[in-house]
Amino acid sequence: MAAYVRKSLLQSTWRRLLQQKHRLVYTASQEFNENEITEKLQQFPGGSIDLKKGNDGIAFLTVNNPSKMNAFSGAMMVQLKDQVEELEGWSEGKGLILHGAANTFCSGSDLNSVKAISNPQDGMEMCMFMQNVLTKLMRLPLISVAVVQGKALGGGAELTTACDFRLLALGSEIRFVHKHMGVVPGWGGAARLVQIVGSRTTLKLLSTAQKVDPEIGLKLGLADAILTSFGEERILNEARSWLSQYTKGPPEIIKAIKKVVVSGKELPFESALQTEKDIFGTVWGGPVNLKVLAQGSKHKKIRID
């Protein structure tokens, strides 16, 4: 009977969580045609978004367009969506490191793509597309960190806010330069930045286009640590080591932790409590929980890797 109840709870809970995971900011009901804007964006090639999954449950997502400071072409926007959706279904995943190729992070949108879709309608559709994609990235059941080398400008700065943490290498900077382009953030960066550093600091960063170096980033709460290594490989290894302190343990537990945090941040309080209860029900009495209980004292540090 207990097994049947647990199975029923798991099935109903995962149906609800699956619906929440795939909830988009914009859908057809908001006159958003994803297929249409995808076809339009794919007309602007260049660069790539590369995904590499590690056996330790940590993946690397690379913004790769070094000849243009890793600016996003239209095709790269579509590839980012595809790679994020690939990560949504990664059962062994626990962590994600997002970084740019060739020692710089990302300089926003490729100007060639921007000029070609400079009319208001196309701009709105691109904005809606990227808000959907970066919301999916933010909600991934993986603990994510943006590793900033060189410059994260404009849309690149917005991209960093879709991760749980931000690590800045020596000499790097995050800068919301939208004001100088005659626009405001459109990929959800302003809304997420308010959640990270508060409305007053966000207003200052956007209205001044202030350069945020590692030290200032730590002071503002935008950066979580400064990476002191030199060279791309060493920096990424240092970032991986930093992230591993949060990803130790079985994937199902790490994913559950991320899900309760996301629900607590996004949902009304009562709904967040209900979701937390549902997620608790998927792990209570599960294999990891039973293994820990079988090993001894509940407050004793027990290895569950």
Side-chain angles (χ1 to χ4, degrees):
M1 181 65 180
Y4 173 78
V5 171
R6 175 175 166 75
K7 182 178 179 181
S8 298
L9 175 62
L10 281 169
Q11 290 174 341
S12 62
T13 300
W14 283 117
R15 278 196 296 269
R16 286 184 55 185
L17 292 175
L18 193 63
Q19 291 172 354
Q20 180 178 340
K21 182 179 78 171
H22 292 293
R23 187 177 74 250
L24 298 175
V25 181
Y26 304 104
T27 63
S29 62
Q30 283 94 20
E31 298 184 355
F32 174 69
N33 188 323
E34 184 177 278
N35 291 334
E36 185 177 291
I37 185 61
T38 295
E39 291 180 4
K40 194 171 295 184
L41 290 171
Q42 287 176 327
Q43 296 175 15
F44 307 102
S48 62
I49 303 294
D50 304 326
L51 175 62
K52 182 179 179 181
K53 300 175 184 175
N55 293 330
D56 58 354
I58 294 179
F60 287 83
L61 195 60
T62 308
V63 183
N64 189 359
N65 194 9
S67 66
K68 296 188 176 181
M69 290 183 62
N70 295 328
F72 269 84
S73 66
M76 289 171 67
M77 295 178 188
V78 176
Q79 289 175 26
L80 179 62
K81 170 183 172 293
D82 294 340
Q83 301 291 31
V84 168
E85 290 177 351
E86 171 76 15
L87 288 167
E88 285 179 329
W90 187 24
S91 62
E92 298 303 314
K94 298 188 289 184
L96 173 66
I97 293 174
L98 174 64
H99 70 107
N103 299 304
T104 196
F105 189 75
C106 174
S107 59
S109 299
D110 178 10
L111 289 179
N112 290 331
S113 299
V114 171
K115 290 176 181 177
I117 57 172
S118 58
N119 66 78
Q121 181 61 36
D122 286 344
M124 286 283 286
E125 289 178 345
M126 183 268 289
C127 167
M128 295 163 79
F129 182 90
M130 287 301 288
Q131 284 190 12
N132 273 355
V133 173
L134 295 188
T135 299
K136 279 175 169 280
L137 173 59
M138 182 180 68
R139 291 174 177 166
L140 277 176
L142 309 173
I143 298 178
S144 60
V145 57
V147 174
V148 180
Q149 296 173 261
K151 300 178 185 297
L153 306 176
E158 294 189 65
L159 184 60
T160 70
T161 67
C163 291
D164 300 312
F165 301 108
R166 281 148 296 281
L167 305 180
L168 274 62
L170 296 173
S172 65
E173 65 178 84
I174 298 175
R175 193 174 184 187
F176 296 84
V177 297
H178 304 75
K179 171 185 176 181
H180 298 321
M181 298 296 293
V183 294
V184 298
W187 294 358
R192 292 188 298 271
L193 189 60
V194 168
Q195 292 181 330
I196 296 168
V197 300
S199 59
R200 293 176 70 251
T201 299
T202 297
L203 185 60
K204 292 176 182 178
L205 293 179
L206 297 185
S207 62
T208 62
Q210 178 184 352
K211 172 183 173 181
V212 178
D213 63 23
E215 290 76 18
I216 294 174
L218 279 180
K219 182 179 179 180
L220 296 179
L222 184 57
D224 295 279
I226 299 174
L227 301 174
T228 58
S229 300
F230 291 95
E232 183 172 7
E233 183 176 354
R234 290 183 178 180
I235 286 173
L236 293 179
N237 284 336
E238 184 181 350
R240 189 178 208 149
S241 177
W242 186 92
L243 179 58
S244 68
Q245 67 185 308
Y246 302 108
T247 58
K248 292 178 181 176
E252 58 267 38
I253 303 304
I254 303 303
K255 289 177 183 290
I257 290 170
K258 175 65 180 285
K259 288 171 182 175
V260 296
V261 171
V262 170
S263 66
K265 181 173 70 172
E266 293 191 8
L267 299 178
F269 187 67
E270 289 79 7
S271 297
L273 288 177
Q274 292 174 12
T275 301
E276 183 174 317
K277 176 262 298 179
D278 290 343
I279 296 172
F280 175 82
T282 67
V283 295
W284 177 261
V288 177
N289 179 234
L290 293 178
K291 180 180 178 181
V292 172
L293 293 176
Q295 290 183 39
S297 172
K298 67 177 181 179
H299 295 303
K300 180 180 176 182
K301 187 174 181 180
I302 297 173
R303 186 176 181 87
I304 57 175
D305 294 309

